[in-house]
Amino acid sequence: MEKREMLYEGKAKKVYKTDVDGKYIIMFKDDATAFNGVKKGTIVNKGIINNKMTSLLFTLLEENGIPTHFEKMLNDREQLVKSVEIIPLEVIIRNVAAGSLAKRLGLEEGTKMNKTIIEFCYKKDELGDPMINEDHIYALDLAKKEEIAAIRDYSLKINEVLIKYFGEREMKLIDFKLEFGRFEGKVILADEISPDTARLWDAKTDRKLDKDRFRRDLGDVEETYIEVLSRLEK
Ligand code: TMP
């Protein structure tokens, strides 16, 4: 396996072609941004932690019947994945009110809700990833009805598996973001699951164990990322 030219550089990752058809390499960086790139910084060794955590969680999800793009971890910062066509949606799953939802609906962070919420955002940095509904998705032809049905089913299943897994490790899964891609005509999970893309609170104290420590300048950012990975590896 040989790494070839870089195809794409995002805020937290780089994607490379390889000499094998249909396989890409993803490299996880230490760069951290918030508020659509307005706040910039570095979280030392974040790339290593997010690569390991995504590898571990995508393997867990595959074992639970969720198809993913993940093939194998190559080294500390890189993983081999299937090349997919990313569906330009950020799928947000919320179990407890926090972040932009708490703000938008005037709820206190930590408020329990009667139902798990799935939100869709249009993945477009220039627009700040606006929230959209299914009508917008079909009107803009961002995805087909069957694809959204599969995305909803997978998202709820992933939520169930992750709530249990994090719960057994003394963490509450407050909310998280997923991205899906098209592979051989089917929808599969892509991107990452990490403290960058999920809110995790300590089960006993509600201490924030995720990127909100960076977004909100709460301190102990690096230590917290290490703590989450060490809980997951137990
Ligand atoms: P929000 O409350 O800011 O809308 O974030 C909801 C979840 O989505 C949270 O777990 C963080 C994650 N997220 C991303 O992964 N990328 C983003 O660009 C944003 C805004 C949120």
Side-chain angles (χ1 to χ4, degrees):
M1 173 75 52
E2 247 181 66
K3 192 154 104 183
R4 293 274 164 88
E5 76 266 26
M6 189 175 78
L7 274 176
Y8 170 80
E9 176 161 13
K11 290 187 287 245
K13 299 187 285 295
K14 292 180 182 175
V15 181
Y16 296 90
K17 274 193 175 170
T18 68
D19 57 345
V20 180
D21 223 26
K23 300 274 195 283
Y24 289 164
I25 289 173
I26 298 184
M27 198 283 281
F28 288 72
K29 304 190 286 182
D30 286 351
D31 300 350
T33 61
F35 317 117
N36 201 21
V38 171
K39 182 181 167 95
K40 288 192 178 71
T42 301
I43 301 174
V44 177
N45 291 335
K46 170 170 87 76
I48 296 175
I49 289 163
N50 288 0
N51 181 32
K52 287 188 180 166
M53 185 160 157
T54 296
S55 300
L56 187 149
L57 293 176
F58 277 41
T59 303
L60 171 78
L61 292 171
E62 287 274 358
E63 287 164 6
N64 281 275
I66 308 288
T68 81
H69 73 163
F70 180 73
E71 294 268 309
K72 63 175 177 184
M73 216 170 95
L74 295 171
N75 55 53
D76 268 3
R77 285 184 185 272
E78 293 178 327
Q79 55 182 249
L80 186 70
V81 300
K82 297 182 178 77
S83 60
V84 301
E85 180 199 348
I86 287 284
I87 297 172
L89 295 174
E90 299 208 340
V91 182
I92 297 172
I93 297 92
R94 301 184 184 269
N95 296 308
V96 174
S100 68
L101 175 97
K103 204 168 171 187
R104 197 166 59 240
L105 301 186
L107 298 171
E108 197 179 326
E109 282 207 314
T111 304
K112 296 224 165 53
M113 300 182 294
N114 292 330
K115 189 187 179 304
T116 298
I117 295 175
I118 298 183
E119 291 172 356
F120 297 102
C121 294
Y122 182 23
K123 214 172 128 61
K124 214 165 191 32
D125 279 342
E126 314 88 276
L127 301 177
D129 300 339
M131 188 161 82
I132 55 175
N133 67 25
E134 280 191 45
D135 283 342
H136 297 109
I137 294 174
Y138 307 133
L140 273 63
D141 203 19
L142 302 179
K144 303 280 174 229
K145 280 213 159 121
E146 313 79 71
E147 292 177 325
I148 294 298
I151 286 173
R152 282 185 178 279
D153 281 357
Y154 286 145
S155 296
L156 292 176
K157 182 76 204 296
I158 292 166
N159 190 37
E160 243 176 65
V161 173
L162 294 184
I163 286 176
K164 179 165 183 286
Y165 195 77
F166 286 116
E168 287 164 356
R169 288 154 183 83
E170 299 284 302
M171 289 179 276
K172 288 191 232 175
L173 180 61
I174 303 299
D175 57 35
F176 59 106
K177 186 262 298 180
L178 300 174
E179 293 184 26
F180 292 86
R182 299 182 178 101
F183 179 75
E184 295 178 351
K186 296 259 186 314
V187 166
I188 67 174
L189 181 66
D191 195 50
E192 67 177 286
I193 302 176
S194 71
D196 278 13
T197 63
R199 283 197 176 90
L200 300 164
W201 293 2
D202 180 83
K204 288 204 186 79
T205 65
D206 279 352
R207 181 183 159 83
K208 296 186 196 323
L209 302 173
D210 55 64
K211 194 177 161 191
D212 275 344
R213 302 206 73 80
F214 168 81
R215 294 188 188 101
R216 304 178 188 188
D217 296 319
L218 301 176
D220 294 331
V221 183
E222 274 92 1
E223 294 80 352
T224 301
Y225 275 69
I226 293 168
E227 165 74 17
V228 171
L229 181 64
S230 79
R231 287 195 198 189
L232 290 190
E233 283 177 335
K234 270 184 198 142

